[in-house]
Amino acid sequence: MTSFDELERQRLEKIERARAHGVDPYPVTFDRTATARELHDRFDGVEPDTNTGARAAVAGRLMLKRGHGKLAFGVLRDGTADIQLMLQVDVLGEEGMSAFADLDLGDWIGAEGEITKTKRGELSVRASSLTLLAKDIRPLPEKWHGLKDVELRFRQRYLDLLMNEDARRVAVLRSRAVQAIREFMIARGFLEVETPMLQVQPGGALAKPFVTHMHALDLDLYLRIAPELYLKRLIVGGLEKVFEINRNFRNEGLSPKYNPEFTMLEAYEAYGDYFTMMDLLESLISAAAREVLGTTDHTYQGRAMPLGGPFRRARLIDLASEAIGETLDLDMAADKARAIAEAHDVPTDAAWGTGK
């Protein structure tokens, strides 16, 4: 098996050969006329073994290649979908077929040609020209096993996005969810604001902050752990309904389920109470689900999780009582509350009162 370093060396040699023949392996632009998804939306209904007469220029990363001689195929992936490339010597020419054979998986390419559907029903671009857009030096992860190492996926997100379709789907859905939340809040009269991320005194939550130093004032500052206090000052100043989709930083650990840098939504409304916010949140969740997923019927990790509401409303202390099978009360003695907590392996502090 060829080593990783040897594959890199071979690809670097291809770059030098291309330059020696006057070919720029990293051109700046390419005139793409359609995405893969646009072609599928327009032509998937075409019968097999059909030449549409329509032409398009597509661009993306080469993910698969097969065949040799007078006929070859490739799979090109752009940011929307995959599309097959059909390469025939009588259309592309001997030089073009040789150029395709010299490509490596992972190379960025552009292809222009007629839109056709093969006898097997695969929508394809019958390429009449190929353009190398960016030579990939590092080989892609092995196709059939994909990228399974969790730590590698989190450290090299670009590889995760490249090799795992579900990772790309989640990235798109997350962006659409943030957009849906923003539009929902604005439609209900909330003003989107930005509050300081560097703070003299971190507040609004109980968390260990990240510390930095401002040289101009010789002053230690903290990355915010929550935007709460500054948002409330805006309410005091007369902005009656405000929200912020904000980045927060908490220096308290790292795992696949916990990131020290994260995004949250925080909103405040004058003249309302926590029932007002319950109503707002319930409407927000269902509206965002319909906008992003097209439905409020949702399953998470095999468990039905309907997002349409209405949702159960309960006090935290009542939920805790249900969980341990014993009634908790804020008026009970602190010693009794502490004993119950310790019986269920919940850490306590001697200075804490019953509520804590």
Side-chain angles (χ1 to χ4, degrees), residues 45-302:
V46 172
E47 292 295 321
D49 197 19
T50 300
N51 298 323
T52 67
R55 300 182 68 83
V58 294
R61 191 186 287 269
L62 183 64
M63 300 301 296
L64 182 69
K65 56 184 295 193
R66 59 185 173 86
H68 58 276
K70 296 183 178 182
L71 178 64
F73 296 92
V75 173
L76 182 143
R77 174 175 296 165
D78 65 16
T80 64
D82 292 354
I83 190 75
Q84 178 170 273
L85 303 180
M86 178 188 295
L87 306 111
Q88 298 171 293
V89 68
D90 57 342
V91 177
L92 190 58
E94 294 284 356
E95 185 176 342
M97 296 297 290
S98 177
F100 178 76
D102 201 42
L103 293 173
D104 294 298
L105 298 186
D107 288 350
W108 292 85
I109 62 173
E112 193 274 335
E114 182 183 8
I115 311 304
T116 185
K117 184 167 280 191
T118 67
K119 292 181 180 180
R120 294 186 176 183
E122 187 71 32
L123 188 67
S124 307
V125 176
R126 180 184 283 113
S128 58
S129 68
L130 285 177
T131 304
L132 177 62
L133 302 180
K135 184 64 185 175
D136 186 0
I137 298 174
R138 293 178 174 269
L140 299 180
E142 202 278 317
K143 177 182 184 296
W144 300 112
H145 294 95
L147 189 63
K148 302 298 184 183
D149 186 286
V150 174
E151 182 174 350
L152 185 61
R153 289 178 59 192
F154 277 82
R155 288 183 179 275
Q156 300 183 31
R157 278 296 195 182
Y158 54 93
L159 284 181
D160 190 23
L161 291 168
L162 174 60
M163 301 305 298
N164 295 323
E165 183 178 355
D166 190 59
R168 296 192 299 276
R169 182 186 66 84
V170 170
V172 171
L173 290 179
R174 183 192 186 283
S175 177
R176 293 179 57 193
V178 171
Q179 180 180 351
I181 291 170
R182 175 175 283 112
E183 292 173 351
F184 175 92
M185 299 297 289
I186 291 174
R188 280 152 185 77
F190 282 81
L191 180 69
E192 184 174 15
V193 297
E194 293 182 342
T195 60
M197 296 178 71
L198 289 174
Q199 302 179 354
V200 176
Q201 178 66 46
L206 292 174
K208 184 177 180 180
F210 287 91
V211 185
T212 187
H213 187 79
M214 184 177 182
H215 294 294
L217 298 178
D218 192 22
L219 178 69
D220 282 344
L221 294 173
Y222 304 88
L223 292 179
R224 71 176 170 205
I225 57 177
E228 177 180 340
L229 301 183
Y230 285 90
L231 289 172
K232 287 180 174 178
R233 291 170 186 172
L234 295 177
I235 296 291
V236 171
L239 303 181
E240 295 182 351
K241 299 170 75 173
V242 296
F243 80 99
E244 185 174 7
I245 300 174
N246 56 86
R247 302 292 287 179
N248 293 303
F249 308 85
R250 298 181 182 180
N251 195 4
E252 296 186 330
L254 179 66
S255 76
K257 294 184 178 181
Y258 179 84
N259 197 37
E261 176 184 357
F262 61 94
T263 303
M264 67 180 290
L265 165 70
E266 193 150 333
Y268 292 91
E269 177 179 350
Y271 315 118
D273 58 13
Y274 69 98
F275 291 108
T276 306
M277 302 312 288
M278 286 183 187
D279 293 337
L280 178 72
L281 185 59
E282 188 171 87
S283 298
L284 169 61
I285 292 172
S286 60
R290 285 191 295 269
E291 180 67 26
V292 177
L293 304 175
T295 179
T296 57
D297 295 329
H298 181 60
T299 300
Y300 181 70
Q301 295 185 346

